C-alpha cells in the first residue's frame, strides 16, 4: 500500500511538468507574406484577451462585403494556409488570416488551448466588424486541425458567424490525448489524470468543447473537410462529427490522398469551397474566379 501511494505521488508530481512541456505549442514565425502570391494585403494587429494582440493579414477584395476569417492549427501560423487563402481571395472574398496566441507573430501567453484559439477567432471577428464594417456584412470562418475545432466552438456561440469550414478537426480532445499518450504505454488511470489536469488548466471540460458536441449547437451552414489518408486524425472523426450536425445541409468533403497537413490536396478542391461559400457571403450568384 505504501509503495502504491509513493508511485501515485510521483505520478501526480510529474504530470503537470509533462503536460506543460509535452503539450506546449512550438512557435514557427512567418517567413513569407501574401505578396509572394501577388496579393495586396494589410498587416494588422488585433487586440485579444488578457491584454495580448494577434498578428494578421487582411486581403481585401474590391467591392466585397463578405469576409472569410482563417485560423491555422497547433504549432502553425497564418502562412501555412496562404495556399488556400490566395485562391479564395481571387474568388471574390475578403480574407483575414491571423495567428493565435503563442503562434507565428502573435503575442505570447501562459498556454495555448482549443478554447483560447476560439477566443482569438472571436476577437478577430469582433475586430473586423468594428474596424471594417463595410467588409463584415457576412462573415464565415475556416479553421485547420485545432483551429477547426476552435472554429466550430466559436460558431456554436457567435451569431455573427454565417458559415464555418472545418478542415481536419478531431472529434473529441480526450481521444486525442489518449492517442498522444498511447506510445508511452501509460496506465489508463494516468491518462485519466492527465485529461482531468488539462481540463483544470484550461478551465473547460473536454465534453463541452469537443467538436463532436459543439456542432449540435450550430444552425448555420457547415462544411467539414478531411483527408482520407490523415494519420493524425482519422477520417472517421469527421464522419462522427457529421453524424451529430443538426444544421440543414451540413456535409463532408473527403479528400483522397490527403494527410493531416495536405493543404496542397485541399487546394485542388477550391471550387467546392467557393460553391459552399456562394450565397453565404455574397448572395449574388456564383463567386467569380478572378485573376490578379
Amino acid at each position: 500500500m505504501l509503495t502504491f501511494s509513493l508511485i501515485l505521488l510521483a505520478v501526480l508530481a510529474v504530470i503537470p511538468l509533462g503536460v506543460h512541456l509535452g503539450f506546449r505549442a512550438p512557435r514557427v514565425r512567418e517567413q513569407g507574406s501574401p505578396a509572394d502570391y501577388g496579393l495586396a494585403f494589410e498587416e494588422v494587429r488585433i487586440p485579444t484577451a488578457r491584454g495580448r494582440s494577434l498578428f494578421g493579414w487582411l486581403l481585401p477584395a474590391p467591392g466585397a462585403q463578405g469576409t472569410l476569417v482563417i485560423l491555422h492549427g497547433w504549432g502553425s501560423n497564418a502562412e501555412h494556409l496562404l495556399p488556400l487563402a490566395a485562391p479564395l481571395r481571387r474568388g471574390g472574398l475578403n480574407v483575414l488570416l491571423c495567428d493565435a496566441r503563442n503562434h507565428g507573430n502573435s503575442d505570447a501567453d501562459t498556454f495555448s488551448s482549443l478554447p483560447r484559439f476560439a477566443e482569438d477567432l472571436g476577437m478577430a471577428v469582433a475586430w473586423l466588424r468594428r474596424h471594417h464594417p463595410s467588409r463584415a456584412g457576412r462573415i464565415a470562418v475556416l479553421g485547420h486541425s485545432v483551429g477547426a475545432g476552435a472554429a466550430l466552438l466559436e460558431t456554436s456561440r457567435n451569431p455573427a458567424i454565417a458559415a464555418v469550414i472545418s478542415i481536419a478537426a478531431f472529434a473529441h480532445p480526450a481521444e486525442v490525448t489518449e492517442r498522444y499518450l498511447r506510445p508511452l504505454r501509460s496506465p489508463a488511470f494516468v491518462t485519466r489524470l492527465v485529461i482531468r489536469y488539462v481540463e483544470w488548466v484550461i478551465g473547460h471540460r473536454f465534453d463541452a468543447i469537443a467538436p463532436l458536441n459543439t456542432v449540435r449547437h450550430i444552425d448555420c451552414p457547415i462544411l467539414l473537410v478531411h483527408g482520407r489518408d490523415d494519420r493524425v486524425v482519422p477520417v472517421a472523426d469527421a464522419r462522427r462529427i457529421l453524424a451529430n450536425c443538426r444544421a440543414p445541409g451540413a456535409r463532408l468533403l473527403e479528400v483522397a490522398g490527403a494527410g493531416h497537413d495536405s493543404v496542397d490536396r485541399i487546394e485542388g478542391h477550391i471550387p467546392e469551397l467557393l460553391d459552399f461559400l456562394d450565397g453565404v457571403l455574397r448572395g449574388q450568384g456564383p463567386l467569380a474566379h478572378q485573376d490578379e
Side-chain angles (χ1 to χ4, degrees), residues 125-150:
V125 169
W127 175 88
L128 183 70
R129 298 179 73 198
R130 183 168 59 251
H131 293 280
H132 295 273
S134 64
R135 295 189 175 110
R138 305 207 82 186
I139 298 171
V141 297
L142 179 154
H144 173 255
S145 191
V146 170

Side-chain angles (χ1 to χ4, degrees), residues 193-213:
L193 286 174
V194 169
I195 289 172
R196 294 294 172 260
Y197 178 73
V198 173
E199 289 179 324
W200 176 76
V201 169
I202 69 175
H204 296 267
R205 296 301 296 265
F206 280 176
D207 282 343
I209 63 174
L212 195 65
N213 296 325

